[in-house]
Amino acid sequence: MDKKDSGGLAFGVMIVIIAFLFVVCIVLPLSIPTFSKEAYALPLMIVGLALPFVYFFIFGGVALARKKREDKALKE
C-alpha cells in the first residue's frame, strides 16, 4: 500500500474543510454581532456549503476512475 492509497490526503483535506466550516458557521457568527449583514457573510457561507460537495466529487471521481482502470486491466 503506497502513500496515495492510505487516505491521508483525503483525511487532511476533510479536516481543513471541517475547520473552515467551524470558523464560518460557529465562530464568526458568535464573535461578530452583525455577521449576517456583512457583505462577506454570504460568499463565505456559500463556499462553506459547496466545499463538502467539491470534496466528494474530486475524491469520489478519482476513486471511480481508478476502479474503472483496474477493472479494464483485469478484463484484458
Side-chain angles (χ1 to χ4, degrees):
M1 178 181 269
D2 61 0
K3 181 113 172 112
K4 286 191 290 188
D5 294 332
S6 70
L9 176 65
F11 179 75
V13 171
M14 185 49 98
I15 293 298
V16 169
I17 290 172
I18 290 171
F20 179 77
L21 288 173
F22 178 75
V23 169
V24 169
C25 296
I26 296 173
V27 174
L28 289 177
L30 290 175
S31 62
I32 301 172
T34 60
F35 178 73
S36 63
K37 294 180 175 113
E38 299 293 334
Y40 55 83
L42 185 60
L44 283 177
M45 294 291 187
I46 290 171
V47 169
L49 181 64
L51 279 177
F53 293 102
V54 171
Y55 171 86
F56 171 75
F57 286 117
I58 288 174
F59 286 103
V62 168
L64 183 62
R66 184 180 305 130
K67 182 167 176 18
K68 282 187 177 183
R69 188 172 55 240
E70 289 172 358
D71 288 347
K72 185 177 179 182
L74 288 175
K75 287 182 181 179
E76 292 177 350

